[in-house]
Amino acid sequence: MEATLLACPKCKRAVKVRKRLLLVLPNGDKYLYVCPDCGSTCGETIETPPPIAR
Ligand SMILES: [Zn+2]
């Protein structure tokens, strides 16, 4: 399990955010980074799947 440090806007400090799957998009999966202490969203990312070799 990867631990990502992000600044939480509510806690005003860097927290080890949890990654939560939000949406599955055609171009990748969208994740939210959530603060484990207050539950605020600290950021988001879209992970594109590795290209499939054809
Ligand atoms: Zn927080």
Side-chain angles (χ1 to χ4, degrees), residues 8 10-11 15 35 37-40 42:
C8 174
K10 249 190 189 173
C11 302
V15 292
C35 172
D37 294 335
C38 68
S40 287
C42 304

Side-chain angles (χ1 to χ4, degrees), residues 6-18:
L6 280 179
C8 174
K10 249 190 189 173
C11 302
K12 309 277 187 198
R13 64 186 174 88
V15 292
K16 277 185 186 171
V17 291
R18 282 199 307 248

Side-chain angles (χ1 to χ4, degrees), residues 30-48:
K30 185 171 184 179
Y31 289 90
L32 283 185
Y33 289 118
V34 180
C35 172
D37 294 335
C38 68
S40 287
T41 302
C42 304
E44 59 184 54
T45 186
I46 293 179
E47 280 192 0
T48 52

